[in-house]
Every structure is written in C-alpha cells, then in structure tokens.
Amino acid sequence: MVIAAFVILFAIFPLTDTDIWWHLACAREWVTTWTPVRAPVVNVHEYFQLVVGFVYGLGGAPLLVAFKAVLWGAVFALFLRRRPCHPECHAELVSASAIPARWLFCIAILFVFRFHFEMRPVLFSLLFLGVYWNVIPWLAKELRESRFNLKLAACAALILAIQWLWCKTQGLYILGPLFTALVLVAGIWNSRRAGDKFLWKALALRGAFVVALFAMPFLHREGLALFLYPFGLLDRLLGLSPSAAIFASEIAENRSPITLLMAGENTLECVLMILLCVAGMGFAIWRLYKARWPDVLNVTFLVTAVLALVAERNFVLFLPVLMAGLPVPSMQPKVVTSIRIPHYTFALALLAFILGLWARSLSAYDYSMVAYQRVPVDAAGWMLKHPHVGKLFNDDRAGGYLALMNPADSIYIDGRFILKTAEFFERYLDYAKDPALFMHDADSLGVDRALFPLQYYARWDTLMHALQQDSRWHLAYRDEYFAVFDK
C-alpha cells in the first residue's frame, strides 16, 4: 500500500497525453475528420471514452487527473497484492534491513517514470489485468481440483464480464485470455511434473474457459472486426505493413527506447529504461532456469520487459510487474538481521529529497490541469471567435483538442493513425519537408487555415517559414506554443 500511495501522488500532473482529447470528443459523438479514413472503423475504446467523458463532465480536467491518479494507485496495489506463483515456489527472502532499500528503489523508479502515468486506455487494461493477476491463479487451482461452488462460479462470471468490457475498452484485451492461458498451462505443466493425477474433466473446464475469453469479442456487434483488432496492434508494434512501418518509425512513443537513445531523445530516461528491461529479462531467465518450471510471474516479467524494449509506450506494462517481481522482505525472526539506525536515516533523507522534487514540480502546473504546452488552449479559443470558410489543416497532436472544443470546424487529422492509410500519413509527414507539396494540396483541397505547434514535437518550421514568405498566407495568430496561418 505504501508503493500504491506514492503512485497516486506521482500521478498528479496535467493531462499530458494529447490522445485523451479525441477520446473525450468521441465520448460526446464519434469524431470524423474531413480527410478519408480506412474501413472498417472499430471504436475499440468506446467504454473507456464513456467513463472518462462522464468524469470530465462532472469535474473537468482536475477531477479526471484525480481519477486517473487513484486508478494508477489501484493498479499497483493489485499487482503487489500477490505473486501468481506455483504453490511450490518460494519467493526470494531478503533481510529486514533491505526493506528501506527496496522501497527507495521502487519509489525512485516510480518518480523518474511518473509521467508515464497518463490517462490512457492502457490504464484500464492494467486495472483489468491486475484483477486477473489476483483471481486467475486461485481460479486455476479450483478448476484443477474440480471444486464447483458458488464462489468459483461468481469469480468465473466476474472474469468473463471484465473480458467483455475489456473488448471495447482497449485493443490489449487479448492480454486477458493470454495471461489466463499462461496460468492454466503452467498449472498443467507443474501438475504433471509433480506426478499428480491428470483429470481430463479439469482440462476440459480450463480449455472451455480460455476459449470463452477469446470468444468475448463476438458478443459485441463488431464481432470479427473486434476479434482481429489486436493483430493490427501487433502490426503497428512491429511495423510489418507499410502503414505500420511509418507509424512505428515516426511516432516517438511507438519507437524502441534503444532507437530513441540513438537519436538523442530522452537520453537519461531511455538509458534507465533499457537497463531495467535488460536486468529484468536476465533476472527472469535466471529464475526460470533455476526453478526448471514455467513460473507465471517470471514469464510475465520476461514478456513485458521485451515489449518495453520494442516500444517505449509499453514500459507501463513492465513497471507493475517489475515491482511485483522484486525479492520480498522477510520479517521472520530467523532471517531478520539488525536494523541499524543509519539505514533508516539515509532512506528518509533520500525520500525527503524525492518528495521535495515532486512538490516543486507541482508548482509548475496550471490549476486547469490541461497541458497548454501540448494542446492549443488559447489558439482554439481564438479560432472559435474567428471562424473561416474553407478547411482546416492541423498537427495530429492538436486534432483531438480542436475536435472537442470546436466540433463545427472539422479537423484534418488526430491521434487515431490506425484510421489512415500509409500513403496519407506519409504525405502528411512530407508536408513538413516539402512546402510546395503542402501549397499544392491546400489549393486543391480548399484548405485556408493551418495550425502548427511551436515547441512540443514542432516539425513544421520549414513549412511555416514558407507560408510567411507566400503572399497568399499570413500569420493570423501566435502565442508561445502555437501559430495559426490563414489564407
């Protein structure tokens, strides 16, 4: 609970993820861009959008920030509540004097990576997975022993209901059935290894339960399209198709921390991320080799570490598992060593330093809890008061906020890149390097207004300079963070 409390504190910062704004806009009504989209369109985030839209409607961004902080705390509380190990597995015990060091390590890591605690659909996926983390091992044990009772039926129904909701919350719903299958397969492996009697009835029950979880998308009207959605996520993660290759190479969060490090972006954070992932992989492999059986915790540890190395945005999947996978301090008298006062004095000093940095960071936040450095708060207000006749061109990260604040002015693009073709996205990125191409397309498409960021992911300097030199365009609005050009 101590770690969860610090997570809640560290998760208090403005809504920095720009995708939250198109989620909020879609909670009101499905946002359509004036540019073409790929079909079929599957709103896999519908239930997430309804929840965040309801919370935002009650108290705006401040309440939404408080809500996401509590949810992140709940995620870590669930993952740290128990370790899904085989009954014969005994976690490593360390002396009680290591407790301050373990807590300090966790708190320091959480502080460094606190800006990953954003309001994104993956938060709900981790919350659901945390429930699975606690319930599925117990459920597997009961199914192995063929004990059917009301509690077992209620837990199975709970998991099935969560899976049904998860299917329309985020595309990572596939993690639920995969984790359940891992737990059940590990249980079968270990039962056979221990020489236990093999019950075909128990195997049939386990298999039917996993199949039911995988089949949950078909209980929604999107059916097959929803079932196939996770494969599109895998495509985007690995860059298999042309569209996914552009997405994986051009969007910072979807690039590997190794790639970001080589590009000189977020150097310190990327170095620490790589070290933690590599150490986690080595630690998990060593423990799996030592135990000689598929421990669910260490397999999950290994898989999430690999996913975090593939794409930076996956690091939030690794963090809770990392905390759960650390050696457990033992308070048993036979292993407790003397706890020296200097240990706690040093720990408290470091903790005070971290909390001081956190408190200082709060002073930089606006009470609105809107990251005005990343979304066009003032520019959107100006655009609302100064309508235009033609079509709008906008940076992708600004699209969601514009759609929420000024729905009458249809946007060019937002963060839903999966809805766009490879050719469209590539041409959109080419505008930043080839102003003549933008001028040509703006004339043919009827674009008479363009909004660009000046600081956060500002790639448009060449194009803005060309617009200033073109007599048909003029700078209509500018603040510290965004500029608007009118034709």
PDB file of all heavy atoms in Angstrom, residues 420-453:
ATOM      1  N   LYS A 420      -5.865   5.879 -40.805  1.00  0.00           N
ATOM      2  CA  LYS A 420      -5.317   6.465 -42.021  1.00  0.00           C
ATOM      3  C   LYS A 420      -4.443   5.449 -42.770  1.00  0.00           C
ATOM      4  O   LYS A 420      -3.826   4.574 -42.171  1.00  0.00           O
ATOM      5  CB  LYS A 420      -4.478   7.705 -41.689  1.00  0.00           C
ATOM      6  CG  LYS A 420      -5.246   8.792 -40.942  1.00  0.00           C
ATOM      7  CD  LYS A 420      -6.408   9.335 -41.767  1.00  0.00           C
ATOM      8  CE  LYS A 420      -7.127  10.457 -41.028  1.00  0.00           C
ATOM      9  NZ  LYS A 420      -8.283  10.973 -41.798  1.00  0.00           N
ATOM     10  N   THR A 421      -4.396   5.621 -44.088  1.00  0.00           N
ATOM     11  CA  THR A 421      -3.569   4.732 -44.902  1.00  0.00           C
ATOM     12  C   THR A 421      -2.106   5.157 -44.821  1.00  0.00           C
ATOM     13  O   THR A 421      -1.782   6.279 -44.409  1.00  0.00           O
ATOM     14  CB  THR A 421      -4.019   4.770 -46.362  1.00  0.00           C
ATOM     15  OG1 THR A 421      -3.818   6.099 -46.875  1.00  0.00           O
ATOM     16  CG2 THR A 421      -5.489   4.393 -46.492  1.00  0.00           C
ATOM     17  N   ALA A 422      -1.224   4.266 -45.254  1.00  0.00           N
ATOM     18  CA  ALA A 422       0.211   4.576 -45.264  1.00  0.00           C
ATOM     19  C   ALA A 422       0.499   5.750 -46.182  1.00  0.00           C
ATOM     20  O   ALA A 422       1.309   6.627 -45.864  1.00  0.00           O
ATOM     21  CB  ALA A 422       1.007   3.345 -45.700  1.00  0.00           C
ATOM     22  N   GLU A 423      -0.184   5.801 -47.339  1.00  0.00           N
ATOM     23  CA  GLU A 423       0.049   6.869 -48.301  1.00  0.00           C
ATOM     24  C   GLU A 423      -0.357   8.224 -47.726  1.00  0.00           C
ATOM     25  O   GLU A 423       0.350   9.221 -47.896  1.00  0.00           O
ATOM     26  CB  GLU A 423      -0.731   6.601 -49.593  1.00  0.00           C
ATOM     27  CG  GLU A 423      -0.271   5.379 -50.365  1.00  0.00           C
ATOM     28  CD  GLU A 423      -0.725   4.068 -49.729  1.00  0.00           C
ATOM     29  OE1 GLU A 423      -1.688   4.113 -48.919  1.00  0.00           O
ATOM     30  OE2 GLU A 423      -0.118   3.018 -50.028  1.00  0.00           O
ATOM     31  N   PHE A 424      -1.495   8.254 -47.041  1.00  0.00           N
ATOM     32  CA  PHE A 424      -1.963   9.509 -46.448  1.00  0.00           C
ATOM     33  C   PHE A 424      -0.990   9.994 -45.381  1.00  0.00           C
ATOM     34  O   PHE A 424      -0.606  11.169 -45.369  1.00  0.00           O
ATOM     35  CB  PHE A 424      -3.354   9.311 -45.838  1.00  0.00           C
ATOM     36  CG  PHE A 424      -3.864  10.526 -45.102  1.00  0.00           C
ATOM     37  CD1 PHE A 424      -4.592  11.493 -45.761  1.00  0.00           C
ATOM     38  CD2 PHE A 424      -3.595  10.696 -43.749  1.00  0.00           C
ATOM     39  CE1 PHE A 424      -5.054  12.626 -45.091  1.00  0.00           C
ATOM     40  CE2 PHE A 424      -4.040  11.820 -43.073  1.00  0.00           C
ATOM     41  CZ  PHE A 424      -4.773  12.778 -43.741  1.00  0.00           C
ATOM     42  N   PHE A 425      -0.602   9.105 -44.474  1.00  0.00           N
ATOM     43  CA  PHE A 425       0.254   9.507 -43.364  1.00  0.00           C
ATOM     44  C   PHE A 425       1.638   9.939 -43.863  1.00  0.00           C
ATOM     45  O   PHE A 425       2.226  10.897 -43.361  1.00  0.00           O
ATOM     46  CB  PHE A 425       0.377   8.351 -42.362  1.00  0.00           C
ATOM     47  CG  PHE A 425       0.896   8.771 -41.025  1.00  0.00           C
ATOM     48  CD1 PHE A 425       0.180   9.630 -40.218  1.00  0.00           C
ATOM     49  CD2 PHE A 425       2.111   8.298 -40.562  1.00  0.00           C
ATOM     50  CE1 PHE A 425       0.656  10.023 -38.979  1.00  0.00           C
ATOM     51  CE2 PHE A 425       2.601   8.679 -39.325  1.00  0.00           C
ATOM     52  CZ  PHE A 425       1.863   9.539 -38.532  1.00  0.00           C
ATOM     53  N   GLU A 426       2.135   9.246 -44.869  1.00  0.00           N
ATOM     54  CA  GLU A 426       3.441   9.603 -45.429  1.00  0.00           C
ATOM     55  C   GLU A 426       3.387  10.978 -46.094  1.00  0.00           C
ATOM     56  O   GLU A 426       4.312  11.786 -45.958  1.00  0.00           O
ATOM     57  CB  GLU A 426       3.884   8.542 -46.429  1.00  0.00           C
ATOM     58  CG  GLU A 426       5.312   8.717 -46.918  1.00  0.00           C
ATOM     59  CD  GLU A 426       5.776   7.548 -47.762  1.00  0.00           C
ATOM     60  OE1 GLU A 426       4.919   6.773 -48.250  1.00  0.00           O
ATOM     61  OE2 GLU A 426       7.002   7.401 -47.938  1.00  0.00           O
ATOM     62  N   ARG A 427       2.284  11.247 -46.781  1.00  0.00           N
ATOM     63  CA  ARG A 427       2.141  12.547 -47.442  1.00  0.00           C
ATOM     64  C   ARG A 427       2.018  13.656 -46.394  1.00  0.00           C
ATOM     65  O   ARG A 427       2.584  14.745 -46.559  1.00  0.00           O
ATOM     66  CB  ARG A 427       0.907  12.540 -48.360  1.00  0.00           C
ATOM     67  CG  ARG A 427       0.845  13.713 -49.329  1.00  0.00           C
ATOM     68  CD  ARG A 427      -0.299  13.548 -50.309  1.00  0.00           C
ATOM     69  NE  ARG A 427      -0.300  14.558 -51.356  1.00  0.00           N
ATOM     70  CZ  ARG A 427       0.360  14.482 -52.492  1.00  0.00           C
ATOM     71  NH1 ARG A 427       1.093  13.402 -52.748  1.00  0.00           N
ATOM     72  NH2 ARG A 427       0.302  15.454 -53.397  1.00  0.00           N
ATOM     73  N   TYR A 428       1.276  13.373 -45.335  1.00  0.00           N
ATOM     74  CA  TYR A 428       1.129  14.334 -44.237  1.00  0.00           C
ATOM     75  C   TYR A 428       2.496  14.693 -43.650  1.00  0.00           C
ATOM     76  O   TYR A 428       2.795  15.870 -43.408  1.00  0.00           O
ATOM     77  CB  TYR A 428       0.211  13.727 -43.171  1.00  0.00           C
ATOM     78  CG  TYR A 428       0.301  14.363 -41.811  1.00  0.00           C
ATOM     79  CD1 TYR A 428      -0.231  15.621 -41.552  1.00  0.00           C
ATOM     80  CD2 TYR A 428       0.920  13.675 -40.753  1.00  0.00           C
ATOM     81  CE1 TYR A 428      -0.148  16.193 -40.289  1.00  0.00           C
ATOM     82  CE2 TYR A 428       1.001  14.244 -39.494  1.00  0.00           C
ATOM     83  CZ  TYR A 428       0.462  15.498 -39.264  1.00  0.00           C
ATOM     84  OH  TYR A 428       0.551  16.060 -38.015  1.00  0.00           O
ATOM     85  N   LEU A 429       3.354  13.717 -43.421  1.00  0.00           N
ATOM     86  CA  LEU A 429       4.685  13.978 -42.878  1.00  0.00           C
ATOM     87  C   LEU A 429       5.574  14.697 -43.890  1.00  0.00           C
ATOM     88  O   LEU A 429       6.444  15.490 -43.509  1.00  0.00           O
ATOM     89  CB  LEU A 429       5.341  12.656 -42.452  1.00  0.00           C
ATOM     90  CG  LEU A 429       4.671  11.923 -41.286  1.00  0.00           C
ATOM     91  CD1 LEU A 429       5.337  10.567 -41.062  1.00  0.00           C
ATOM     92  CD2 LEU A 429       4.740  12.749 -40.013  1.00  0.00           C
ATOM     93  N   ASP A 430       5.349  14.446 -45.173  1.00  0.00           N
ATOM     94  CA  ASP A 430       6.146  15.102 -46.212  1.00  0.00           C
ATOM     95  C   ASP A 430       5.899  16.608 -46.267  1.00  0.00           C
ATOM     96  O   ASP A 430       6.762  17.359 -46.729  1.00  0.00           O
ATOM     97  CB  ASP A 430       5.855  14.483 -47.577  1.00  0.00           C
ATOM     98  CG  ASP A 430       6.512  13.123 -47.758  1.00  0.00           C
ATOM     99  OD1 ASP A 430       7.433  12.812 -46.969  1.00  0.00           O
ATOM    100  OD2 ASP A 430       6.096  12.366 -48.659  1.00  0.00           O
ATOM    101  N   TYR A 431       4.721  17.037 -45.826  1.00  0.00           N
ATOM    102  CA  TYR A 431       4.435  18.475 -45.826  1.00  0.00           C
ATOM    103  C   TYR A 431       5.470  19.259 -45.030  1.00  0.00           C
ATOM    104  O   TYR A 431       5.787  20.412 -45.371  1.00  0.00           O
ATOM    105  CB  TYR A 431       3.051  18.745 -45.229  1.00  0.00           C
ATOM    106  CG  TYR A 431       1.891  18.288 -46.070  1.00  0.00           C
ATOM    107  CD1 TYR A 431       0.666  17.985 -45.483  1.00  0.00           C
ATOM    108  CD2 TYR A 431       2.000  18.172 -47.457  1.00  0.00           C
ATOM    109  CE1 TYR A 431      -0.418  17.571 -46.236  1.00  0.00           C
ATOM    110  CE2 TYR A 431       0.923  17.752 -48.224  1.00  0.00           C
ATOM    111  CZ  TYR A 431      -0.281  17.450 -47.599  1.00  0.00           C
ATOM    112  OH  TYR A 431      -1.348  17.045 -48.356  1.00  0.00           O
ATOM    113  N   ALA A 432       5.979  18.654 -43.959  1.00  0.00           N
ATOM    114  CA  ALA A 432       6.949  19.347 -43.104  1.00  0.00           C
ATOM    115  C   ALA A 432       8.263  19.598 -43.846  1.00  0.00           C
ATOM    116  O   ALA A 432       8.978  20.561 -43.532  1.00  0.00           O
ATOM    117  CB  ALA A 432       7.206  18.531 -41.834  1.00  0.00           C
ATOM    118  N   LYS A 433       8.564  18.763 -44.818  1.00  0.00           N
ATOM    119  CA  LYS A 433       9.837  18.886 -45.536  1.00  0.00           C
ATOM    120  C   LYS A 433       9.680  19.492 -46.928  1.00  0.00           C
ATOM    121  O   LYS A 433      10.654  19.964 -47.512  1.00  0.00           O
ATOM    122  CB  LYS A 433      10.482  17.495 -45.654  1.00  0.00           C
ATOM    123  CG  LYS A 433      10.789  16.831 -44.315  1.00  0.00           C
ATOM    124  CD  LYS A 433      11.240  15.395 -44.480  1.00  0.00           C
ATOM    125  CE  LYS A 433      10.102  14.483 -44.890  1.00  0.00           C
ATOM    126  NZ  LYS A 433      10.481  13.051 -44.921  1.00  0.00           N
ATOM    127  N   ASP A 434       8.464  19.477 -47.447  1.00  0.00           N
ATOM    128  CA  ASP A 434       8.221  19.938 -48.820  1.00  0.00           C
ATOM    129  C   ASP A 434       7.059  20.934 -48.828  1.00  0.00           C
ATOM    130  O   ASP A 434       5.902  20.560 -49.093  1.00  0.00           O
ATOM    131  CB  ASP A 434       7.906  18.732 -49.702  1.00  0.00           C
ATOM    132  CG  ASP A 434       7.823  19.098 -51.182  1.00  0.00           C
ATOM    133  OD1 ASP A 434       7.937  20.297 -51.509  1.00  0.00           O
ATOM    134  OD2 ASP A 434       7.643  18.180 -52.010  1.00  0.00           O
ATOM    135  N   PRO A 435       7.317  22.216 -48.546  1.00  0.00           N
ATOM    136  CA  PRO A 435       6.238  23.214 -48.515  1.00  0.00           C
ATOM    137  C   PRO A 435       5.466  23.319 -49.823  1.00  0.00           C
ATOM    138  O   PRO A 435       4.256  23.591 -49.813  1.00  0.00           O
ATOM    139  CB  PRO A 435       6.985  24.516 -48.203  1.00  0.00           C
ATOM    140  CG  PRO A 435       8.237  24.093 -47.508  1.00  0.00           C
ATOM    141  CD  PRO A 435       8.616  22.795 -48.147  1.00  0.00           C
ATOM    142  N   ALA A 436       6.150  23.114 -50.956  1.00  0.00           N
ATOM    143  CA  ALA A 436       5.463  23.205 -52.242  1.00  0.00           C
ATOM    144  C   ALA A 436       4.349  22.165 -52.354  1.00  0.00           C
ATOM    145  O   ALA A 436       3.276  22.430 -52.919  1.00  0.00           O
ATOM    146  CB  ALA A 436       6.467  23.025 -53.384  1.00  0.00           C
ATOM    147  N   LEU A 437       4.591  20.974 -51.804  1.00  0.00           N
ATOM    148  CA  LEU A 437       3.567  19.927 -51.809  1.00  0.00           C
ATOM    149  C   LEU A 437       2.365  20.354 -50.975  1.00  0.00           C
ATOM    150  O   LEU A 437       1.211  20.139 -51.381  1.00  0.00           O
ATOM    151  CB  LEU A 437       4.170  18.626 -51.263  1.00  0.00           C
ATOM    152  CG  LEU A 437       3.226  17.425 -51.178  1.00  0.00           C
ATOM    153  CD1 LEU A 437       2.751  17.013 -52.578  1.00  0.00           C
ATOM    154  CD2 LEU A 437       3.906  16.255 -50.478  1.00  0.00           C
ATOM    155  N   PHE A 438       2.625  20.974 -49.839  1.00  0.00           N
ATOM    156  CA  PHE A 438       1.518  21.455 -48.999  1.00  0.00           C
ATOM    157  C   PHE A 438       0.728  22.531 -49.729  1.00  0.00           C
ATOM    158  O   PHE A 438      -0.516  22.530 -49.715  1.00  0.00           O
ATOM    159  CB  PHE A 438       2.055  22.007 -47.679  1.00  0.00           C
ATOM    160  CG  PHE A 438       0.988  22.649 -46.827  1.00  0.00           C
ATOM    161  CD1 PHE A 438       0.179  21.873 -46.017  1.00  0.00           C
ATOM    162  CD2 PHE A 438       0.785  24.020 -46.852  1.00  0.00           C
ATOM    163  CE1 PHE A 438      -0.821  22.453 -45.242  1.00  0.00           C
ATOM    164  CE2 PHE A 438      -0.207  24.617 -46.086  1.00  0.00           C
ATOM    165  CZ  PHE A 438      -1.012  23.829 -45.276  1.00  0.00           C
ATOM    166  N   MET A 439       1.421  23.478 -50.345  1.00  0.00           N
ATOM    167  CA  MET A 439       0.745  24.562 -51.075  1.00  0.00           C
ATOM    168  C   MET A 439      -0.167  23.993 -52.166  1.00  0.00           C
ATOM    169  O   MET A 439      -1.309  24.427 -52.338  1.00  0.00           O
ATOM    170  CB  MET A 439       1.770  25.499 -51.709  1.00  0.00           C
ATOM    171  CG  MET A 439       2.775  26.104 -50.743  1.00  0.00           C
ATOM    172  SD  MET A 439       2.051  27.314 -49.647  1.00  0.00           S
ATOM    173  CE  MET A 439       3.554  27.994 -48.907  1.00  0.00           C
ATOM    174  N   HIS A 440       0.344  23.023 -52.887  1.00  0.00           N
ATOM    175  CA  HIS A 440      -0.435  22.402 -53.962  1.00  0.00           C
ATOM    176  C   HIS A 440      -1.681  21.731 -53.409  1.00  0.00           C
ATOM    177  O   HIS A 440      -2.805  21.922 -53.930  1.00  0.00           O
ATOM    178  CB  HIS A 440       0.437  21.393 -54.713  1.00  0.00           C
ATOM    179  CG  HIS A 440      -0.318  20.594 -55.744  1.00  0.00           C
ATOM    180  ND1 HIS A 440      -0.958  19.406 -55.432  1.00  0.00           N
ATOM    181  CD2 HIS A 440      -0.543  20.825 -57.074  1.00  0.00           C
ATOM    182  CE1 HIS A 440      -1.536  18.936 -56.520  1.00  0.00           C
ATOM    183  NE2 HIS A 440      -1.291  19.773 -57.524  1.00  0.00           N
ATOM    184  N   ASP A 441      -1.510  20.927 -52.358  1.00  0.00           N
ATOM    185  CA  ASP A 441      -2.648  20.216 -51.791  1.00  0.00           C
ATOM    186  C   ASP A 441      -3.631  21.163 -51.120  1.00  0.00           C
ATOM    187  O   ASP A 441      -4.849  20.943 -51.158  1.00  0.00           O
ATOM    188  CB  ASP A 441      -2.163  19.164 -50.795  1.00  0.00           C
ATOM    189  CG  ASP A 441      -1.536  17.965 -51.479  1.00  0.00           C
ATOM    190  OD1 ASP A 441      -1.519  17.938 -52.723  1.00  0.00           O
ATOM    191  OD2 ASP A 441      -1.055  17.052 -50.772  1.00  0.00           O
ATOM    192  N   ALA A 442      -3.129  22.217 -50.470  1.00  0.00           N
ATOM    193  CA  ALA A 442      -4.022  23.188 -49.837  1.00  0.00           C
ATOM    194  C   ALA A 442      -4.908  23.858 -50.873  1.00  0.00           C
ATOM    195  O   ALA A 442      -6.111  24.082 -50.646  1.00  0.00           O
ATOM    196  CB  ALA A 442      -3.203  24.224 -49.074  1.00  0.00           C
ATOM    197  N   ASP A 443      -4.348  24.182 -52.027  1.00  0.00           N
ATOM    198  CA  ASP A 443      -5.134  24.794 -53.093  1.00  0.00           C
ATOM    199  C   ASP A 443      -6.187  23.833 -53.634  1.00  0.00           C
ATOM    200  O   ASP A 443      -7.353  24.208 -53.857  1.00  0.00           O
ATOM    201  CB  ASP A 443      -4.219  25.250 -54.238  1.00  0.00           C
ATOM    202  CG  ASP A 443      -3.340  26.435 -53.846  1.00  0.00           C
ATOM    203  OD1 ASP A 443      -3.694  27.139 -52.878  1.00  0.00           O
ATOM    204  OD2 ASP A 443      -2.289  26.637 -54.492  1.00  0.00           O
ATOM    205  N   SER A 444      -5.793  22.579 -53.848  1.00  0.00           N
ATOM    206  CA  SER A 444      -6.718  21.615 -54.453  1.00  0.00           C
ATOM    207  C   SER A 444      -7.789  21.137 -53.474  1.00  0.00           C
ATOM    208  O   SER A 444      -8.904  20.806 -53.885  1.00  0.00           O
ATOM    209  CB  SER A 444      -5.932  20.411 -54.989  1.00  0.00           C
ATOM    210  OG  SER A 444      -5.246  19.753 -53.932  1.00  0.00           O
ATOM    211  N   LEU A 445      -7.479  21.143 -52.189  1.00  0.00           N
ATOM    212  CA  LEU A 445      -8.419  20.644 -51.188  1.00  0.00           C
ATOM    213  C   LEU A 445      -9.238  21.748 -50.526  1.00  0.00           C
ATOM    214  O   LEU A 445     -10.167  21.458 -49.776  1.00  0.00           O
ATOM    215  CB  LEU A 445      -7.660  19.864 -50.101  1.00  0.00           C
ATOM    216  CG  LEU A 445      -6.935  18.595 -50.560  1.00  0.00           C
ATOM    217  CD1 LEU A 445      -6.092  18.024 -49.421  1.00  0.00           C
ATOM    218  CD2 LEU A 445      -7.938  17.547 -51.042  1.00  0.00           C
ATOM    219  N   GLY A 446      -8.879  22.986 -50.759  1.00  0.00           N
ATOM    220  CA  GLY A 446      -9.635  24.089 -50.173  1.00  0.00           C
ATOM    221  C   GLY A 446      -9.237  24.421 -48.750  1.00  0.00           C
ATOM    222  O   GLY A 446     -10.063  24.917 -47.971  1.00  0.00           O
ATOM    223  N   VAL A 447      -7.991  24.179 -48.386  1.00  0.00           N
ATOM    224  CA  VAL A 447      -7.500  24.499 -47.042  1.00  0.00           C
ATOM    225  C   VAL A 447      -7.163  25.985 -46.973  1.00  0.00           C
ATOM    226  O   VAL A 447      -6.394  26.492 -47.795  1.00  0.00           O
ATOM    227  CB  VAL A 447      -6.240  23.659 -46.705  1.00  0.00           C
ATOM    228  CG1 VAL A 447      -5.652  24.111 -45.371  1.00  0.00           C
ATOM    229  CG2 VAL A 447      -6.594  22.184 -46.665  1.00  0.00           C
ATOM    230  N   ASP A 448      -7.761  26.687 -46.001  1.00  0.00           N
ATOM    231  CA  ASP A 448      -7.468  28.111 -45.848  1.00  0.00           C
ATOM    232  C   ASP A 448      -7.032  28.483 -44.429  1.00  0.00           C
ATOM    233  O   ASP A 448      -6.903  29.662 -44.109  1.00  0.00           O
ATOM    234  CB  ASP A 448      -8.679  28.960 -46.258  1.00  0.00           C
ATOM    235  CG  ASP A 448      -9.866  28.793 -45.319  1.00  0.00           C
ATOM    236  OD1 ASP A 448      -9.821  27.897 -44.444  1.00  0.00           O
ATOM    237  OD2 ASP A 448     -10.845  29.551 -45.458  1.00  0.00           O
ATOM    238  N   ARG A 449      -6.835  27.477 -43.593  1.00  0.00           N
ATOM    239  CA  ARG A 449      -6.333  27.722 -42.234  1.00  0.00           C
ATOM    240  C   ARG A 449      -5.449  26.550 -41.818  1.00  0.00           C
ATOM    241  O   ARG A 449      -5.786  25.387 -42.078  1.00  0.00           O
ATOM    242  CB  ARG A 449      -7.481  27.909 -41.241  1.00  0.00           C
ATOM    243  CG  ARG A 449      -7.042  28.029 -39.779  1.00  0.00           C
ATOM    244  CD  ARG A 449      -8.156  28.520 -38.881  1.00  0.00           C
ATOM    245  NE  ARG A 449      -8.392  29.957 -39.095  1.00  0.00           N
ATOM    246  CZ  ARG A 449      -9.342  30.657 -38.457  1.00  0.00           C
ATOM    247  NH1 ARG A 449     -10.151  30.036 -37.595  1.00  0.00           N
ATOM    248  NH2 ARG A 449      -9.479  31.938 -38.697  1.00  0.00           N
ATOM    249  N   ALA A 450      -4.328  26.869 -41.167  1.00  0.00           N
ATOM    250  CA  ALA A 450      -3.393  25.827 -40.718  1.00  0.00           C
ATOM    251  C   ALA A 450      -2.890  26.172 -39.327  1.00  0.00           C
ATOM    252  O   ALA A 450      -2.523  27.321 -39.067  1.00  0.00           O
ATOM    253  CB  ALA A 450      -2.226  25.701 -41.685  1.00  0.00           C
ATOM    254  N   LEU A 451      -2.887  25.177 -38.452  1.00  0.00           N
ATOM    255  CA  LEU A 451      -2.409  25.356 -37.080  1.00  0.00           C
ATOM    256  C   LEU A 451      -1.190  24.475 -36.848  1.00  0.00           C
ATOM    257  O   LEU A 451      -1.197  23.283 -37.182  1.00  0.00           O
ATOM    258  CB  LEU A 451      -3.517  25.005 -36.081  1.00  0.00           C
ATOM    259  CG  LEU A 451      -3.134  25.074 -34.599  1.00  0.00           C
ATOM    260  CD1 LEU A 451      -4.269  25.675 -33.771  1.00  0.00           C
ATOM    261  CD2 LEU A 451      -2.774  23.705 -34.041  1.00  0.00           C
ATOM    262  N   PHE A 452      -0.136  25.069 -36.239  1.00  0.00           N
ATOM    263  CA  PHE A 452       1.112  24.353 -36.023  1.00  0.00           C
ATOM    264  C   PHE A 452       1.608  24.557 -34.585  1.00  0.00           C
ATOM    265  O   PHE A 452       1.486  25.669 -34.047  1.00  0.00           O
ATOM    266  CB  PHE A 452       2.207  24.849 -36.980  1.00  0.00           C
ATOM    267  CG  PHE A 452       1.838  24.780 -38.422  1.00  0.00           C
ATOM    268  CD1 PHE A 452       1.451  25.924 -39.108  1.00  0.00           C
ATOM    269  CD2 PHE A 452       1.872  23.578 -39.100  1.00  0.00           C
ATOM    270  CE1 PHE A 452       1.121  25.876 -40.447  1.00  0.00           C
ATOM    271  CE2 PHE A 452       1.544  23.519 -40.448  1.00  0.00           C
ATOM    272  CZ  PHE A 452       1.163  24.667 -41.122  1.00  0.00           C
ATOM    273  N   PRO A 453       2.196  23.522 -33.983  1.00  0.00           N
ATOM    274  CA  PRO A 453       2.849  23.704 -32.678  1.00  0.00           C
ATOM    275  C   PRO A 453       4.212  24.369 -32.862  1.00  0.00           C
ATOM    276  O   PRO A 453       4.886  24.146 -33.875  1.00  0.00           O
ATOM    277  CB  PRO A 453       2.993  22.275 -32.158  1.00  0.00           C
ATOM    278  CG  PRO A 453       3.097  21.440 -33.397  1.00  0.00           C
ATOM    279  CD  PRO A 453       2.243  22.123 -34.431  1.00  0.00           C
TER     280      PRO A 453
END
